[in-house]
Amino acid sequence: QKEVEQNSGPLSVPEGAIASLNCTYSDRGSQSFFWYRQYSGKSPELIMSIYSNGDKEDGRFTAQLNKASQYVSLLIRDSQPSDSATYLCAVQGSGNTPLVFGKGTRLSVIA
Amino acid sequence: ETGVTQSPTHLIKTRGQQVTLRCSSQSGHNTVSWYQQALGQGPQFIFQYYREEENGRGNFPPRFSGLQFPNYSSELNVNALELDDSALYLCASSLPGQNAYGYTFGSGTRLTVV
């Protein structure tokens, strides 16, 4: 059973702070790693993808991958109230194999 | 604006009834995947269709079935509805062999079973 684990939160951070979201996965064959943002009642929105060990930065977002530890993280710098949402970690094997999602971490950015 | 359209956006059904949810894929995308997201959970893979054939299935009972049409649109059918089927149903279209970076998710259908 392929599993993705996330702390459900809520994670509360003050506006302007760094939010750190973490995820572990069970399948060592996973090759692609994604972070989605989901506002209440809406569909998931892809915000970051990462495929190799290390860091990947895109604007205020940094994804980190450590395949040896089977660990993925997302850092959000200068957090804004509009970042308040549920963040879903998802992993995928080769090609178009099904995405396996975690339960998501609810982030609340306090103004 | 998403290129994937799902209908209806919301519906309420009674336990034991049957329901059909619809998804139109983004132009050029011939692969459609369906996910179920219960409240407070992450999406779970139901099945995927490619060229009108089921091309992978998650841990869902046979009363969950699907179709894909020549225009690549898709349907999800659920028979004998149960209360636990209440969820947000998401479809995602993609090109074959493309990883999730290329997925386009629809806005979802919220199904409530009473």
Side-chain angles (χ1 to χ4, degrees):
Chain A
Q1 181 82 359
K2 300 175 183 178
E3 294 182 342
V4 176
E5 300 287 342
Q6 294 182 256
N7 187 323
S8 61
L11 172 66
S12 294
V13 300
E15 184 175 359
I18 295 175
S20 177
L21 305 163
N22 305 312
C23 166
T24 58
Y25 60 95
S26 64
D27 181 15
R28 284 195 172 276
S30 299
Q31 297 188 9
S32 303
F33 306 86
F34 304 92
W35 283 98
Y36 289 84
R37 177 175 62 200
Q38 187 174 32
Y39 294 112
S40 181
K42 303 296 184 183
S43 63
E45 172 194 7
L46 180 66
I47 53 173
M48 288 292 287
S49 60
I50 187 166
Y51 308 111
S52 54
N53 283 329
D55 295 0
K56 179 181 178 182
E57 185 174 320
D58 184 359
R60 297 188 294 115
F61 299 100
T62 299
Q64 300 173 316
L65 173 62
N66 183 327
K67 289 185 177 180
S69 300
Q70 296 175 247
Y71 176 88
V72 195
S73 66
L74 178 71
L75 300 177
I76 305 175
R77 290 181 299 281
D78 188 24
S79 295
Q80 301 298 308
S82 58
D83 294 327
S84 298
T86 296
Y87 289 80
L88 297 164
C89 173
V91 302
Q92 190 174 31
S94 61
N96 199 9
T97 54
L99 271 173
V100 179
F101 285 87
K103 292 183 178 181
T105 298
R106 190 154 52 95
L107 172 67
S108 178
V109 180
I110 311 300
Chain B
E1 182 180 320
T2 182
V4 175
T5 303
Q6 290 189 244
S7 62
T9 55
H10 299 83
L11 76 165
I12 300 174
K13 288 286 189 177
T14 302
R15 189 172 49 183
Q17 285 187 315
Q18 179 267 342
V19 69
T20 298
L21 309 182
R22 294 178 175 84
C23 170
S24 68
S25 60
Q26 179 161 313
S27 177
H29 285 187
N30 56 11
T31 302
V32 175
S33 304
W34 284 91
Y35 290 81
Q36 179 199 64
Q37 187 176 20
L39 195 62
Q41 304 294 315
Q44 284 196 293
F45 175 70
I46 304 174
F47 44 54
Q48 180 183 92
Y49 276 82
Y50 169 62
R51 287 188 174 181
E52 303 176 54
E53 296 286 333
E54 189 178 286
N55 183 37
R57 187 179 184 92
N59 189 26
F60 281 81
R63 60 190 185 82
F64 285 79
S65 63
L67 283 173
Q68 188 180 32
F69 300 99
N71 68 354
Y72 307 136
S73 66
S74 177
E75 287 183 353
L76 164 64
N77 299 290
V78 188
N79 293 323
L81 283 167
E82 301 177 359
L83 297 179
D84 285 349
D85 296 333
S86 295
L88 180 68
Y89 288 84
L90 297 161
C91 75
S93 72
S94 62
L95 294 171
Q98 190 176 36
N99 76 9
Y101 184 80
Y103 281 19
T104 301
F105 276 95
S107 55
T109 293
R110 171 73 64 187
L111 171 65
T112 303
V113 182
V114 297

